[in-house]
Amino acid sequence: MRVNTAKQALDIISDNEIIWCHSMAATPYYLLQSLAKVALNRKNLTLLQLHTEQSDCLNIPELQGHLRQRAFFVGRCTRPAINAGNADYVPAFLSEIPKMFRSGEQPIDVALIQVSLPDKHGWCSLGVSVEATRAALQVAKKVIAWVNPKMPRTHGDAMVPLSRFDRYVEFSAELSPHLPAAQNTVTGQIGQHVASLIRDRDCLQLGIGAIPDAALACLGNHKDLGIHTEMFSDGVLPLLEQGVITNKYKKKHPGKTVTTFAMGTKALYDFIDDNPELAFLDVEYTNDTAVIRQNPQTVSINSALQIDITGQVCADSLGTKIYSGVGGQMDFVRGAGLSEGGRSIIAFPATAAGGTVSRISSLLSPGAGVVTTRAHVHYIVTEYGIANLRAKSLTERAQALIAISAPQFQEQLARAAWDDWGLLV
């Protein structure tokens, strides 16, 4: 049923219900602004989500006892609430979240989504973000939609009929933009090192940020690259337009760029709109290692917050403080490792806090979460070089990682390798 306001759409939410929120750049922030008010007249609501944009309105203290956020991935909007104990973080591989929904392990009463205008057949599109929302729509008892004329139409698993919506409201507003991260000498050097590991016909998975963009900028002379990724942003556009990315040699979806969500600028969203070369698919499929490994020469490019000298990768927390989430890093690290000719790359600046802290450490900080284990790690890249940890002993790993750490920390790390691990490097 079509209604005139977001409040009217949300009136069907009852006490004690569990709500799924469409995430990433498709966050239905127009609905969330009203939910922050409607929830004050409800009790014990739970809002499930991945990374959300423009959801700060849900962090007001008045919502305690009325609505609590429960995030499978943490971003700027939810990070303060989670680390203050006012919201919850659920560690989970991104590929497994739809399974939790479909199995009933994680019940969902209501789904809040943002979609495109319906076509002449009455079908809307989930647009720039399919992720776990497709699964949520399959199990939710009630669906509330924001129909946004500015939402691009995407192909793949994104289609949902207007008849699926219990309530919907139409309102035109721009999608949440994600501007390209600023580049500097460090990200440029890391990008060059990452690019040196990429071969013609590789199939890439990459995240968002300055380092993936820097690596992509160095790939202009490559041929017939493919994309099978969890997400992509503006950095891929020049390579698609130049014909560097052709997806020609992929075994899964040849000729198609496969993703589950995209975040970027209006230029990216315009490129995505009704583009049949792009397939937006369910994250249970895109991040399935059994699918990923079928593309030869799969290369995953991810980042980290900290790594110890044995190769344990922390990517979701700063000590005990949750920063992001498990996400799809391990899905693709493992999938790339099993792919014929595949490689995984973890790339990050060697230091943090203005050069005063080494991201390569002898021991992880107390409470730091291991997202990628030392048994899965392959290439580690900083601005100081590349360390290949595959088939390396603990001593060899420590030597290789210390060699690509910031010079001012190398002597300290060598001493700690002996003191903490008994490794003579």
Side-chain angles (χ1 to χ4, degrees), residues 58-123:
L58 301 177
N59 293 332
I60 58 175
E62 292 82 359
L63 283 174
Q64 291 189 30
H66 298 279
L67 182 145
R68 189 172 178 89
Q69 298 183 78
R70 188 175 177 88
F72 293 96
F73 197 90
V74 178
R76 182 194 61 80
C77 294
T78 50
R79 195 175 296 130
I82 284 170
N83 288 312
N86 297 323
D88 298 306
Y89 165 58
V90 182
F93 294 133
L94 190 50
S95 60
E96 295 188 353
I97 297 172
K99 298 177 189 289
M100 297 178 190
F101 297 170
R102 291 179 172 122
S103 69
E105 187 176 4
Q106 172 58 73
I108 295 176
D109 298 301
V110 183
L112 300 184
I113 62 174
Q114 182 184 174
V115 298
S116 72
L117 288 169
D119 63 17
K120 64 181 181 180
H121 303 292
W123 287 78

Side-chain angles (χ1 to χ4, degrees), residues 143-198:
V143 178
I144 301 170
W146 166 21
V147 177
N148 185 358
K150 297 291 183 73
M151 174 63 80
R153 296 183 66 83
T154 57
H155 297 253
D157 291 335
M159 306 310 294
V160 54
L162 197 66
S163 59
R164 180 67 179 94
F165 308 151
D166 294 88
R167 296 277 177 93
Y168 70 93
V169 59
E170 184 176 327
F171 180 77
S172 183
E174 296 294 337
L175 271 65
S176 299
H178 195 289
L179 300 179
Q183 296 288 340
N184 55 40
T185 302
V186 170
T187 58
Q189 290 171 335
I190 296 171
Q192 290 176 8
H193 290 315
V194 171
S196 72
L197 296 172
I198 306 302

